[in-house]
Amino acid sequence: MRLRSLMPKDLFRLNAPSRPFAEVKGELLPFCHVENDRFALPSMSTLLSKRVICCTVLDASILLNARITNHDLSTLEIYVAGSVHPNNPPPLAKPHFGFLLVDEAAQATESDIVPALNAVATDDTRCHRAHVTVCGDARQLGPHIISEEARANDFDVSLLERLMNLPVYADHPFARRNRSRNPDVRFDLRTTPFVDLVRNYRSAPEILWLPSTLVRPLALLSMMCSRSSS
């Protein structure tokens, strides 16, 4: 809804053909493509002209089935370049999808995000890399897994949580657990592989005031109770 300023010529909302029209807001229908009374993909030329494509991580598999991925497009580009200039080495192709942004990534399983990652994946020897950003909070709601067997095999761990546990993130001097020991360290966006949310736009200050003021009193109360019991 907030990207509507891009206009339908630049923004496309990809929906699965099985999605009911009632689930899509009327303001977004101009950004969708409909054929035979159901959602569909437009022609390749129309789709490739879009600057932004919005979809769920699972619906990104539609792009895989249509062979509209960075890997397929770069392969086609290299093949055409080799046909036109057979004596010249193929140039390093540019990825069509330069950026992938996954919102609420902590609520998706790793297998859920695979279709979206495959859509932007590239071969380093043939194509420049695309930039991938996953957003979310691994300490809030995680993936909803019903199978006990899947849980036993760590399928309930999101890609975001698994990445944040890697040394490149967890041991970084700007990580929250390390930065709390040295609060004077200045955060540098240019050298860190992550960004922390520092402003909350979902809650009014009056709502946030209550838990913020209760944290320390509750902690002191817990200490007093533990001392009295001992």
Side-chain angles (χ1 to χ4, degrees):
M1 292 291 289
R2 294 187 177 184
L3 293 175
R4 288 179 297 165
S5 59
L6 293 177
M7 306 301 290
K9 66 181 181 65
D10 294 322
L11 175 64
F12 177 62
R13 180 58 169 94
L14 174 61
N15 299 290
S18 58
R19 188 178 189 186
F21 285 93
E23 292 184 358
V24 181
K25 294 184 178 181
E27 299 92 329
L28 295 181
L29 287 177
F31 299 90
C32 308
H33 184 75
V34 179
E35 290 183 9
N36 300 324
D37 295 329
R38 65 175 186 173
F39 293 113
L41 280 176
S43 64
M44 179 176 287
S45 59
T46 300
L47 186 63
L48 296 181
S49 68
K50 306 296 184 180
R51 293 179 56 195
V52 179
I53 297 179
C54 296
C55 66
T56 66
V57 288
L58 294 180
D59 286 347
S61 60
I62 300 176
L63 298 176
L64 301 182
N65 296 330
R67 304 294 298 272
I68 304 177
T69 66
N70 277 341
H71 178 73
D72 293 309
L73 295 174
S74 63
T75 300
L76 179 60
E77 179 180 345
I78 293 174
Y79 174 78
V80 173
S83 300
V84 177
H85 303 285
N87 297 326
N88 296 336
L92 199 62
K94 294 182 179 180
H96 177 76
F97 299 108
F99 299 88
L100 170 65
L101 176 63
V102 183
D103 195 17
E104 299 295 352
Q107 299 183 29
T109 65
E110 291 176 295
S111 56
D112 287 337
I113 299 183
V114 165
L117 292 176
N118 281 336
V120 301
T122 60
D123 184 350
D124 291 346
T125 63
R126 306 171 66 183
C127 184
H128 292 281
R129 295 181 181 179
H131 184 88
V132 177
T133 300
V134 288
C135 308
D137 190 346
R139 297 186 180 182
Q140 295 186 7
L141 294 177
H144 181 64
I145 302 295
I146 300 177
S147 171
E148 293 296 336
E149 182 180 358
R151 292 181 180 179
N153 289 278
D154 288 338
F155 280 98
D156 58 341
V157 179
S158 66
L159 175 64
L160 175 62
E161 182 178 359
R162 203 179 297 278
L163 287 175
M164 295 307 295
N165 289 331
L166 294 177
V168 65
Y169 297 102
D171 298 339
H172 198 281
F174 292 153
R176 285 186 177 181
R177 68 180 185 180
N178 298 327
R179 199 170 29 165
S180 59
R181 304 168 188 168
N182 189 6
D184 296 330
V185 175
R186 187 173 181 179
F187 196 87
D188 188 359
L189 294 177
R190 297 171 298 177
T191 59
T192 55
F194 55 85
V195 176
D196 289 336
L197 178 66
V198 295
R199 294 184 180 180
N200 192 321
Y201 294 95
R202 297 185 177 181
S203 299
E206 293 78 7
I207 298 177
L208 291 176
W209 175 85
L210 179 61
S212 298
T213 54
L214 288 180
V215 170
R216 185 168 178 79
L218 287 177
L220 294 177
L221 179 60
S222 175
M223 294 175 59
M224 293 174 59
C225 292
S226 60
R227 290 177 181 178
S228 60
S229 61
S230 59

